[in-house]
């Protein structure tokens, strides 16, 4: 332009003539340039694409969160969230959807059940399957894949799903609760609608105060989406294909949710600039350029709309992935709700009637987190122990601590409430059969996904040869449990024997541990507990009574009278045989099967006699009565001296209850069927022909099983720091096999899982309880240990120095360490196990003495030797020990466990292996009685394959309790051999060992009392 003082005429970009002065021309040019710039920016803005809302990424994040919640749920409640899917027919799209859901469920760690039914299946069959799933406690969410075949009423079938298991959130109750403002929170939300809202929230898109139009009014997406958007304070309009002026309505929306099911239905010109578009639709349209001949598009014209909206979901890859992710979230939430409230399972119709749906919050027993390796770290919910110095008495510490509710402890152990039989708030029986059934089903699901069940590490805690007062083996066991669980966050379950009342009221005291490492409440633990030992006494003495009663009645009755009384007529005139009688006929070879004959009247006179007469030889009766009290005067007694017994007098005796074969059977059985078989196999005497008479022959096996059915279930208790403990059985180690039950160990190993630890104790020293664990219990129960914790004390090792004259305390200790060194070498060299020595600190031990013991153990080959202070400090005092145990169990180069002898060896060779290898004996001598029995048993095909269980003193490696240290070259004298056909081992009586102890001059019961002012037990220790 040429500027002059003259007037010029120019044309604007709109062809409007403007007459300006020279200064006006400049102004016009500037205006023109700015207008052009704005137009260009507008065009650029129109070409700018909306930000994609990545449904795949958001869904992946949700699924990771669900997997973590699933893992926490499993740790807290001992089971996985359970999802059941019912698929009817063979539609490929439905099969594809189900595969996707199953894959997601597996990744989340769910337990799953798949029910695949033919297209022709009846509606009633589908309803029946749903009812079964409603009643299945393993299932928390049920999904029926739609659509169903045309001959089925979909609404009726969906109504049959229990409301609390409605995985899709479609039930009338859930939908109604969703629409109610400020009402009851729905148990589950419709997955696709919930996914739409989740996408908005995670994309930081504000919903509150915005105008939202939902296009589509289906019960699956449209209506639930509207309800959820309103719950987020949006102003919502629900539109559909029949809505008047739909484009104008959509143009007012800040958020558009399109779920109408028509391809490219919503046009770009309908949309408000910078609105947010959630496209739910997924439609197939023909496209010859693709391999499949079609492509998937949404309900919104994506290619045009992306230049108008600020945010938009693609199709596919937008809302679709969220549906499965939100389904997984529903499953976890339903599982959690199922544990928070126990109520009958209701269908939708029943729920509408009751409307009792308010969830009850419940305290969780612990907090959890997960390491990168997948190990669950547990933080038990127990207040920190308040430590006093000096340490109060055990009973005072126990009573000062309020136990956690046992249901919380159960959850930390991986148990469910319906798997417990409660004995008050602080203990409960565990229905082990129900737990195994649940775990078996979960394992089947994992196995189908290519995963094998992995059990935890088994750690056996045993000791050196102790003093009469004990060396803190149980205390160390409990302290280690508290350290692993409460301090290190490991999954841990401790299995421990129930103590006999004999030592409790005698000299040794209780067996709950001590100081700040105890099982609580210790008075319940030590006295009666849940009555298992009393059940053993009742069962054992029932057998004794049955033997004597049978001898009496056979002696005083003729064959026909005996038959009539043993096989009485019923009201129909038949003499029906019991199962035990039919089983006896089979064993005698008189019938082929237990179903061959039912009526005893069909038997011949000879067979009647064989059935009814046992012809017991009283001189061969080996079965004795038992009592759970130390009472030396019952060792030898005479029975039958009353006038009514008609002179049927014989000599017998009592044993302590925990020495009974019934206790051994209870400890070694792994199921109810195994228990019954072992009880029936117990040999009690012989007949006049020298043939063995068993409990089956007496007809008492069924009654024994009934007496012991609850006793086969372990009792759940807890330590002072809240870690779970399974208390079960109590055989002594010096006169029996000295270990807690196979049931408890097997259960604990499965519950703790791959990264967890099961701690169990073996009575007395490694030479007694340890050896019996490795050669008897581990064999029968398939329970190979991962490592050993060997407990030693300065006090005990000083007693293992025989010659104390002119020696300092330090010198005595140095010589006495030969005992602990021998035990370490036996564990490593004989059994191939890593040994972690726990040097249990006593108050008078010096640092120099403790370090000496530690060094001596390491010299002998211990993996680690740790000085512990758990008695006075609780779990904190055993953290180093716990870390050493973890390392010993998890080290990839750990040695292979092996037994001391093969079962194919002769009985004599097995005895020699123990006496020479562990006891360091030079020779083994057999008494005349023992030699005769040895010859007889070696020729018995079954018994000769039994392991041996040597009963001897616990105070020495030898059979002489006064022979201390690590003596060698001594002689072991075997007095008797007693085969235990039910338990499955041979008891070898070595040295002077009593099967029922006596009381000392001042028994422990002097201090035990009931404080009437506090209603508490006092004096237990």
């Amino acid at each position: 332009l040429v500027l002059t003082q003259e007037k010029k005429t120019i044309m604007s970009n709109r062809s409007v003539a403007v007459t300006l002065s020279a200064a006006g021309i400049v102004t016009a040019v500037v205006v023109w340039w700015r207008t052009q710039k704005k137009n260009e920016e507008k065009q650029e803005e129109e070409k700018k694409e909306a930000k994609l809302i990545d449904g795949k990424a958001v869904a992946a994040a949700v699924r990771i969160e669900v997997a973590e919640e699933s893992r926490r749920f499993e740790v807290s409640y001992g089971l996985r969230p359970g999802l059941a899917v019912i698929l009817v027919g063979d539609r490929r799209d439905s099969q594809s959807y189900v595969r996707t859901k199953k894959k997601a469920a597996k990744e989340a760690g769910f337990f799953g059940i798949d029910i695949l039914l033919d297209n022709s299946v009846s509606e009633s069959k589908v309803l029946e399957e749903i009812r079964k799933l409603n009643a299945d406690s393993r299932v928390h969410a049920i999904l029926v894949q739609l659509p169903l075949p045309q001959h089925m009423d979909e609404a009726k079938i969906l109504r049959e799903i229990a409301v609390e298991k409605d995985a899709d959130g479609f039930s009338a109750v859930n939908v109604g609760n969703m629409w109610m403002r400020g009402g009851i929170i729905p148990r589950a939300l419709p997955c696709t609608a919930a996914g739409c809202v989740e996408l908005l929230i995670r994309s930081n898109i504000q919903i509150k105060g915005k105008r939202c139009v939902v296009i589509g009014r289906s019960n699956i997406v449209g209506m639930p989406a509207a309800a959820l958007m309103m719950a987020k304070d949006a102003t919502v309009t629900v539109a559909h294909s029949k809505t008047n002026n739909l484009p104008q309505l959509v143009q007012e929306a800040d958020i558009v949710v399109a779920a109408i099911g028509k391809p490219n239905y919503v046009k770009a010109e309908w949309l408000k600039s910078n609105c947010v578009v959630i496209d739910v639709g997924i439609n197939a349209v023909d496209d010859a350029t693709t391999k499949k001949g079609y492509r998937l598009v949404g309900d919104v014209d994506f290619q045009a709309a992306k230049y108008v909206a600020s945010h938009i979901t693609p199709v596919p890859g937008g809302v679709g992935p969220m549906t499965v992710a939100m389904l997984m979230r529903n499953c976890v939430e339903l599982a959690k709700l199922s544990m928070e409230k126990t109520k009958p399972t209701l269908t939708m119709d029943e729920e509408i009637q009751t409307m009792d749906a308010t969830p009850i919050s419940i305290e969780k027993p612990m907090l959890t987190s997960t390491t990168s390796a997948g190990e669950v770290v547990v933080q038990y919910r127990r207040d920190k122990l308040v430590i006093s110095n000096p340490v109060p008495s055990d009973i005072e510490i126990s009573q000062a601590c309020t136990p956690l509710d046992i249901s919380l402890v159960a959850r930390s152990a991986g148990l469910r409430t319906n798997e417990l039989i409660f004995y008050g708030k602080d203990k409960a029986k565990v229905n082990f059969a129900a737990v195994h059934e649940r775990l078996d089903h979960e394992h089947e699901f994992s196995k189908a996904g290519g995963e094998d069940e992995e059990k935890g590490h088994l750690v056996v805690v045993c000791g050196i040869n102790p003093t009469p007062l004990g060396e803190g083996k149980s205390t160390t066991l409990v302290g280690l449990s508290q350290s692993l669980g409460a301090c290190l966050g490991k999954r841990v379950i401790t299995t421990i024997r129930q103590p006999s009342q004999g030592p409790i009221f005698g000299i040794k005291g209780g067996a709950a541990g001590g100081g700040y490492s105890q099982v609580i409440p210790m008075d319940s633990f030590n006295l009666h507990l849940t009555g298992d030992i009393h059940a053993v006494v009742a069962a054992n003495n029932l057998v004794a009574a049955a033997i004597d009663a049978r001898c009496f009645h056979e002696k005083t009755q003729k064959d026909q009278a005996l038959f009539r009384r043993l096989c009485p007529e019923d009201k129909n005139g038949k003499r029906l045989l019991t199962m035990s009688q039919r089983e006896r006929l089979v064993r005698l070879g008189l019938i082929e099967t237990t179903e061959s004959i039912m009526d005893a009247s069909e038997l011949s006179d000879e067979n009647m006699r064989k059935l009814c007469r046992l012809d017991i030889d009283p001189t061969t009766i080996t079965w004795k009565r038992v009592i759970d009290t130390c009472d030396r005067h019952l060792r030898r007694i005479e029975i039958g001296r009353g006038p009514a017994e008609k002179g049927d007098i014989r000599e017998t005796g009592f044993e302590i209850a925990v020495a009974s074969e019934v206790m051994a059977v209870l400890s070694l059985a792994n199921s109810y069927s195994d228990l019954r078989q072992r009880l029936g196999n117990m040999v009690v005497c012989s007949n006049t022909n020298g043939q063995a008479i068993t409990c089956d022959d007496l007809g008492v096996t069924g009654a024994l099983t009934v007496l012991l059915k609850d006793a086969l279930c372990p009792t759940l208790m807890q330590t002072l720091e809240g870690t779970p403990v399974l208390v079960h059985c109590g055989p002594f180690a010096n006169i029996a096999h000295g270990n807690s039950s196979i049931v408890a160990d097997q259960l604990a190993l499965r519950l703790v899982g791959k990264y967890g630890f099961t701690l169990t104790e073996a009575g007395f020293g490694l030479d007694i309880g340890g050896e019996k664990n490795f050669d008897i219990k581990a064999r029968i129960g398939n329970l190979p240990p991962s490592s050993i914790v060997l407990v030693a004390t300065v006090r005990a090792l000083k007693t293992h120095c025989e010659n104390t004259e002119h020696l300092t305390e330090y010198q005595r200790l140095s010589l006495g360490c030969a005992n602990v060194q021998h035990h370490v070498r036996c564990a490593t060299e004989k059994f191939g196990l890593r040994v972690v020595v726990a040097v249990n600190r006593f108050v008078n031990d010096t640092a120099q003495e403790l370090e000496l013991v530690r060094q001596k153990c390491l010299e002998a080959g211990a993996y680690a030797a740790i000085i512990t202070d758990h008695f006075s400090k609780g779990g904190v005092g055993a953290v180093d020990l716990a870390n050493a145990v973890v390392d010993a169990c998890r080290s990839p180069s750990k040695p292979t466990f092996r037994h001391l002898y093969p079962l194919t060896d002769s009985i004599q060779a097995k005895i020699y292996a123990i006496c020479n290898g562990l006891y360091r004996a030079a020779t083994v001598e057999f008494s005349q009685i023992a030699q005769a029995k040895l010859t007889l048993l070696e020729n018995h095909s079954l018994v000769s394959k039994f392991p041996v269980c040597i009963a001897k003193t616990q105070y020495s490696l030898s059979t002489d309790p006064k022979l201390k240290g690590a003596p060698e070259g001594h002689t072991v004298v075997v007095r008797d051999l007693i085969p235990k056909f039910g338990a499955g081992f041979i008891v070898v009586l070595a040295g002077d060992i009593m099967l029922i102890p006596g009381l000392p001059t001042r028994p422990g019961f002097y201090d035990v009392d009931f404080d009437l002012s506090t209603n508490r037990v006092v004096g237990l220790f």
Side-chain angles (χ1 to χ4, degrees), residues 754-822:
K754 178 180 179 180
Y755 298 102
F757 295 85
T758 293
L759 309 180
T760 190
E761 48 96 24
F764 297 126
L766 182 138
D767 59 317
I768 300 181
E771 183 274 323
K772 292 168 184 175
N773 181 295
F774 309 143
D775 285 323
I776 298 176
K777 180 181 176 182
R779 268 196 171 106
I780 295 174
N782 189 24
L783 294 166
S786 298
S787 67
I788 297 173
V789 172
L790 184 67
V791 182
T793 65
V794 169
R795 178 180 70 174
L797 291 173
K798 286 180 180 179
T799 68
H800 279 289
C801 176
E802 290 190 282
N803 184 9
T804 62
E805 189 176 357
H806 306 304
L807 294 178
T808 65
E809 292 293 301
Y810 188 82
Q811 290 171 329
R812 287 180 57 203
L813 175 62
S814 181
L815 293 174
C817 282
N819 185 269
V820 67
Q821 288 182 312
H822 173 70

Side-chain angles (χ1 to χ4, degrees), residues 405-418:
D405 190 291
I406 199 64
S407 62
L408 301 181
V409 180
R411 289 171 188 170
S412 73
L415 296 165
R416 299 190 65 176
T417 304
N418 61 359

Side-chain angles (χ1 to χ4, degrees), residues 98 123 195 358 382 456 479 490 535 640 655 777 982:
V98 168
E123 182 181 276
T358 305
R382 158 74 71 207
K490 306 297 182 185
E655 296 174 353
K777 180 181 176 182

Side-chain angles (χ1 to χ4, degrees), residues 249 603 619:
L249 189 64
L603 295 171
T619 64

Side-chain angles (χ1 to χ4, degrees), residues 430-475:
V430 180
N431 184 345
F432 71 96
V435 179
H436 281 305
E437 181 180 3
R438 169 171 62 82
L439 295 177
D440 287 342
H441 284 291
E442 293 179 8
H443 175 47
E444 288 174 9
F445 180 66
S446 299
K447 190 174 181 181
E451 300 176 12
D452 290 326
E453 181 181 25
E454 294 188 70
K455 300 176 183 176
H457 299 285
L458 178 63
V459 179
V460 179
V461 179
C462 52
I464 61 171
N465 297 103
T467 68
L469 297 176
E471 304 314 313
K473 178 169 51 62
S474 298
T475 305

